[in-house]
Amino acid sequence: MVTITGVDVHDVRFPTAAAGDGSDAINRGDYSATYVELRTDGDAVGAGFTFTNGRGNELTCAAVRALAHHVVGRTVEEIFAAPVRFWRSLTADVQLRWLGPEKGVIHMATGALVNAVWDLRAKLAGKPMWRLLAELPTEELVAAVDFHHISDAITPAEAAAILEKGLVGLPDRLAELERDGFPSYTTSVGWLGYPDDKVRALTREAYQQGWRAMKMKVGGPIEDDVRRARIIRSEIGPDALLMMDANQVWDVDEAITNMARLAEADPYWIEEPTHADDVLGHARIAQAVTDLTGGRCRVATGEVAANRVIFKQLLQAEAIRVCQIDACRIGGVNEVLSVILMAAKFGVPICPHAGGVGLCEYVQHLAIFDYLRVGTSLDGRMVEYVDHLHEHFVDPVRTRGGRYLLPEAPGYSATMKPASIAEFSFPDGPAWR
C-alpha cells in the first residue's frame, strides 16, 4: 500500500500580462497555478494544480492547505476503495463547505487535490491518465461519481449503460487516435490585447501549420470585434471554423444584438456570451443564435461553471450545444466524469477548455477518455490549444498538424519542472524580484 504523507503547495505565477497573452474582454492576468505535490512513503509523487489568473492565487494555496488534512495519512488503496466518500470529505467538510458550497476558491482547491490523487494513481499504475480511465471497469468508473443532486438528470444505471456501450469499438477508436491524433483548435491567434497586424500574422501562421479551427476573443467595442473577425475569416477562408469567446462580458440582450452583427463571419460557436451562472440567459441566447444563423452557430460554455449542478441545468435547459469542461474549476476527475456522462446522455459534445497554465496538459486526457469510452464520436469534438507555458512541464502536450498526439508518460501530465517552480514561485522566485 502507498500512504500519502504530506502535501506541498507552491504559488507559481508567470508574468504573461505584459505581452497581452491571455487577454480577453474581462481578464488581463499573469497565468498562475496553485501547484500541489503529494508526498508518499515511497518514491511516487502525485502532482496536481488549479489555474488562476494572478492575484488571488495565494487564496487557493491557503484553501489547499486547509483541506490537506483530508488527504494526509490516507492510502491510495483506501481512497479508491470508497472514492465518493473521499471526494465528499473535501466537498462536504462540515465547516469549509460554507465557503462555497462546491464553488469558488474552496472547490478549485478541491480540484487541485483530487487531480493530484488521480495523478498519483496513474503513475503507480504506470499508465497515462486517459488510458487508466478508459481501461477501468464500468462499475469502478460509476463508483467514482457522486450522483447526489444530479440523479434527476442521470442515474448510476444510465451511466453504466453509456460506459458499457463505450467498450464496443474502443480498440478501433484508439488505433485511430494513435494514427491521427485528436482534433484541436487554437486560441493563440485572437487575444483581445493583440493589435490587428499581430492577429493577421498569427492567423496566417496557424493556418500554414495545419490549424483549421481558430478562436478569437470578442467583447470589446463591437466595431473592433467585427473588424478583427473579418481579418481572421479573410485569412482562413470560408471552410475553416471560427469560434468566438465573449468571456461573460455581455448582457443577454446585448449578446443577441452583437451576434447579429458578428454572424457575417459565420461563427461556429459563441462561448460564454453572458454570466456563467445565467442558465436561462444562455438558453435565450442559444435560441436566438440558432434563429440568426439557421443553426450554424451554437452556444458553448463551462470553463467557469461552478459544479456539476450548473452543467446539469445547462443541459436540461438546452442552453448549450458545446460542453466545455474545465479540469480543475470543478472538483477534479470525479466531478468531471459526472459532467462527461451527463453530456453524453443529452447528446452534447465535449470540447474542453484549455490554455492557461497546464490546462492543455490536463484536458487532453479527459477528451481522449470521452471519445474512447463515452462519446465514441469525434463529430463536433475538439480540444482547445494555446501555445503558452508548455515548456514548464515534464510531459508537455505534443501537436501535429492541428491535432493533439496521445500522451505516453504515466500520470496526468501535471508535473512541473522543479526549475520552473523555483524560478516563478511568488513572491520570492527570481522572476518576481
Side-chain angles (χ1 to χ4, degrees), residues 181-201:
F182 198 97
S184 179
Y185 70 91
T186 179
T187 304
S188 296
V189 304
W191 298 114
L192 207 61
Y194 287 174
D196 288 358
D197 57 349
K198 185 171 183 177
V199 170
R200 185 181 297 278

Side-chain angles (χ1 to χ4, degrees), residues 96-123:
L96 292 179
R97 185 180 186 274
W98 185 263
L99 300 180
E102 295 183 38
K103 63 176 69 72
V105 166
I106 203 73
H107 210 46
M108 293 165 70
T110 294
L113 283 165
V114 169
N115 287 338
V117 168
W118 279 91
D119 175 71
L120 178 58
R121 181 182 184 183
K123 286 174 177 172

Side-chain angles (χ1 to χ4, degrees), residues 68-401:
H69 67 281
H70 292 297
V71 180
V72 175
R74 295 199 184 195
T75 67
V76 175
E77 293 78 7
E78 171 195 356
I79 287 171
F80 286 100
V84 171
R85 183 190 305 164
F86 164 70
W87 193 76
R88 287 182 181 173
S89 73
L90 297 166
T91 61
D93 178 294
V94 294
Q95 294 182 351
L96 292 179
R97 185 180 186 274
W98 185 263
L99 300 180
E102 295 183 38
K103 63 176 69 72
V105 166
I106 203 73
H107 210 46
M108 293 165 70
T110 294
L113 283 165
V114 169
N115 287 338
V117 168
W118 279 91
D119 175 71
L120 178 58
R121 181 182 184 183
K123 286 174 177 172
L124 291 171
K127 298 177 181 181
M129 178 64 71
W130 64 264
R131 185 179 291 278
L132 174 74
L133 291 172
E135 293 179 350
L136 281 180
T138 292
E139 58 272 20
E140 194 165 345
L141 287 166
V142 173
V145 174
D146 188 349
F147 289 91
H148 192 210
H149 295 134
I150 62 169
S151 60
D152 56 321
I154 190 168
T155 66
E158 289 172 324
I162 291 169
L163 290 162
E164 280 294 294
K165 185 178 179 181
L167 290 170
V168 179
L170 191 155
D172 293 335
R173 292 191 293 278
L174 176 55
E176 177 189 12
L177 293 186
E178 289 174 334
R179 182 185 68 241
D180 300 331
F182 198 97
S184 179
Y185 70 91
T186 179
T187 304
S188 296
V189 304
W191 298 114
L192 207 61
Y194 287 174
D196 288 358
D197 57 349
K198 185 171 183 177
V199 170
R200 185 181 297 278
L202 289 173
T203 302
R204 187 172 297 176
E205 179 183 359
Y207 192 88
Q208 291 171 349
Q209 291 173 347
W211 302 97
R212 293 298 181 267
M214 307 186 195
K215 188 168 79 180
M216 63 176 291
K217 298 292 183 174
V218 296
I222 187 60
E223 296 299 335
D224 290 349
D225 290 344
V226 170
R227 185 186 70 253
R228 294 166 68 251
R230 288 171 177 167
I231 289 171
I232 296 174
R233 179 55 75 187
S234 71
E235 291 294 330
I236 67 177
D239 297 327
L241 299 181
L242 173 59
M243 288 78 82
M244 299 177 178
D245 184 356
N247 288 98
Q248 313 164 51
V249 76
W250 293 329
D251 285 346
V252 173
D253 291 331
E254 185 182 15
I256 294 169
T257 298
N258 287 343
M259 287 310 297
R261 293 288 311 278
L262 290 163
E264 69 171 62
D266 191 22
Y268 181 69
W269 76 51
I270 176 61
E271 180 175 333
E272 289 197 310
T274 194
H275 193 286
D277 295 341
D278 190 352
V279 174
L280 297 182
H282 278 89
R284 269 195 63 208
I285 296 166
Q287 184 60 58
V289 297
T290 294
D291 295 341
L292 280 168
T293 66
R296 289 179 63 83
C297 184
R298 60 220 71 201
V299 166
T301 199
E303 72 179 72
V304 296
N307 50 52
R308 66 202 183 285
V309 177
I310 293 292
F311 279 105
K312 177 189 76 170
Q313 294 179 34
L314 289 165
L315 292 163
Q316 289 175 325
E318 299 182 354
I320 55 173
R321 285 169 58 199
V322 178
C323 183
Q324 293 180 304
I325 53 172
D326 183 278
C328 51
R329 166 70 64 172
I330 59 178
V333 172
N334 300 67
E335 193 165 27
V336 167
L337 289 174
S338 71
V339 178
I340 289 174
L341 288 163
M342 283 192 291
K345 180 185 173 181
F346 283 86
V348 175
I350 294 287
C351 294
H353 164 245
V357 181
L359 295 183
C360 295
E361 278 70 21
Y362 260 158
V363 299
Q364 59 182 336
H365 294 271
L366 302 174
I368 293 164
F369 162 74
D370 169 53
Y371 173 54
L372 291 178
R373 192 68 190 275
V374 183
T376 70
S377 170
L378 290 179
D379 185 27
R381 283 175 165 79
M382 297 175 281
V383 180
E384 184 172 18
Y385 176 75
V386 178
D387 192 14
H388 299 317
L389 307 173
H390 305 299
E391 66 274 15
H392 299 292
F393 287 85
V394 172
D395 181 29
V397 296
R398 299 172 298 130
T399 63
R400 181 181 64 213

